[in-house]
């Protein structure tokens, strides 16, 4: 919801700038709209346009990196869970409790990252406790032969890797795009669109064109914000890997 609000604020500010420019055109004396004035403003706005493009590029890069990193971490967490379950199966019946704990964690983690509609997400504190319970169950195993000792050591390593991946995923829950960047970008775009309105004739075609351009730009900002937080909202990290892991663990 916060991303939609950001997009709406962006649209309101940018389109308001265009309307202010159109209004100012009708109020300013003629010599303020001379060709020399237009040339000076055009050059100045070109600088702002270039800066806006650079900031947009940085925002897209940051959001895409955040999306890719979170996608990789979800896949890695799913892969490690499958590997641990397979090794616990190989360990034997004594690992049944650890497998059950792992299955409970997988269900809760899926609900935390990709909650079903109408159901509240599982708190992060709950899933980390469940994952630590899995590790405790592995620690409690008493190997009877070399194979079981190897599998127990391997499962402990995997559980530590999963805990590390979990904390890495939690640390990326925030926004990677600084708020001042976003505010400054909207301010620059507002000035740019105000200059468009200042030298454009006042007619329905111009107003509609400025409206559509404002929607397009603010829509881009909204999508960048969505991409930066891909565990909720319109653009989400694929849940296929986690769901497949749960199916594999539940067998």
């Amino acid at each position: 919801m916060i991303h939609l609000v950001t997009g709406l604020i962006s649209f309101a500010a940018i389109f308001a700038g265009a309307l202010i420019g159109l209004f100012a055109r009708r109020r300013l004396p003629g010599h303020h709209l001379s060709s020399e004035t237009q040339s000076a403003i055009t050059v100045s706005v070109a600088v702002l346009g270039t800066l806006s493009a650079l900031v947009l590029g940085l925002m897209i890069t940051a959001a895409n990196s955040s999306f890719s990193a979170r996608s990789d971490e979800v896949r890695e967490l799913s892969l490690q869970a499958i590997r641990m379950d397979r090794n616990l199966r190989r360990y034997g019946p004594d690992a049944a409790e650890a497998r059950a704990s792992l299955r409970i964690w997988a269900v809760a983690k899926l609900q935390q990252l990709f909650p079903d509609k109408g159901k509240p997400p599982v708190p992060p504190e709950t899933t980390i406790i469940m994952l630590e319970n899995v590790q405790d169950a592995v620690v409690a195993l008493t190997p009877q032969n070399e194979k079981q000792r190897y599998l127990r050591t391997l499962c402990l390593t995997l559980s530590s890797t999963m805990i590390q991946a979990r904390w890495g995923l939690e640390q990326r829950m925030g926004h990677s795009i600084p708020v001042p960047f976003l505010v400054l970008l909207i301010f620059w775009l507002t000035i740019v669109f105000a200059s468009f309105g200042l030298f454009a004739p006042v007619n329905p075609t111009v107003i509609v064109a400025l409206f559509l351009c404002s929607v397009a730009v603010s829509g881009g900002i909204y999508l960048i914000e969505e991409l930066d937080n891909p565990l909720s909202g319109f653009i989400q990290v694929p849940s296929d890997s986690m769901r497949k892991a749960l199916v594999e663990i539940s067998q």
Side-chain angles (χ1 to χ4, degrees):
M1 180 61 70
I2 185 64
H3 304 147
L4 181 59
V5 172
T6 301
L8 291 175
I9 292 175
S10 302
F11 166 75
I14 294 170
F15 189 57
L19 294 179
I20 290 173
L22 291 173
F23 177 79
R25 175 183 175 83
R26 303 180 63 178
R27 296 292 181 177
L28 289 174
H31 65 277
H32 284 277
L33 302 174
S34 63
S35 58
E36 292 82 2
T37 302
Q38 183 174 357
S39 298
I41 293 178
T42 300
V43 172
S44 302
V45 170
V47 175
L48 286 182
T50 303
L51 289 175
S52 300
L54 290 174
V55 172
L56 271 173
L58 290 173
M59 289 174 59
I60 292 173
T61 300
N64 184 64
S65 298
S66 177
F67 182 88
S68 299
R70 293 177 192 181
S71 298
D72 292 342
E73 286 167 353
V74 170
R75 283 194 294 267
E76 181 67 18
L77 201 59
S78 305
L79 175 62
Q80 300 299 343
I82 293 175
R83 290 184 61 194
M84 176 177 283
D85 181 70
R86 298 293 298 181
N87 288 322
L88 289 174
R89 289 186 195 182
R90 293 171 60 195
Y91 188 93
D94 293 343
E97 181 180 350
R99 286 196 65 207
S101 298
L102 181 63
R103 191 178 305 113
I104 293 172
W105 167 83
V107 173
K109 192 64 179 179
L110 181 63
Q111 182 63 19
Q112 178 202 343
L113 296 178
F114 310 101
D116 296 328
K117 291 184 178 180
K119 294 183 180 180
V122 177
E125 297 80 9
T126 302
T127 56
I128 186 58
I129 292 175
M130 291 179 176
L131 190 54
E132 289 171 346
N133 289 339
V134 175
Q135 191 174 58
D136 291 341
V138 175
V139 171
L141 293 175
T142 305
Q144 302 298 322
N145 51 53
E146 192 64 31
K147 175 184 175 182
Q148 289 186 340
R149 276 191 289 272
Y150 168 75
L151 291 173
R152 178 178 178 273
T153 302
L154 187 57
C155 287
L156 286 174
T157 302
L158 288 172
S159 64
S160 298
T161 303
M162 291 170 64
I163 291 175
Q164 182 178 354
R166 182 268 178 196
W167 283 114
L169 189 62
E170 292 296 327
Q171 290 298 319
R172 295 181 184 274
M173 288 296 185
H175 291 279
S176 63
I177 299 175
V179 175
F181 262 41
L182 187 60
V183 173
L184 193 59
L185 174 64
I186 295 173
F187 176 67
W188 287 344
L189 290 172
T190 301
I191 295 176
V192 170
F193 272 72
S195 70
F196 293 162
L198 185 62
F199 295 104
V202 182
N203 58 60
T205 302
V206 170
I207 294 175
V208 170
L210 291 174
F211 173 83
L212 293 177
C213 289
S214 300
V215 170
V217 173
S218 58
I221 294 175
Y222 163 71
L223 290 179
I224 291 173
E225 284 286 290
E226 284 283 308
L227 190 65
D228 187 47
N229 191 15
L231 294 178
S232 63
F234 180 68
I235 301 177
Q236 291 191 355
V237 169
S239 62
D240 296 348
S241 58
M242 185 63 72
R243 296 186 187 279
K244 290 178 181 178
L246 180 58
V247 171
E248 180 70 22
I249 293 172
S250 300
Q251 292 179 357

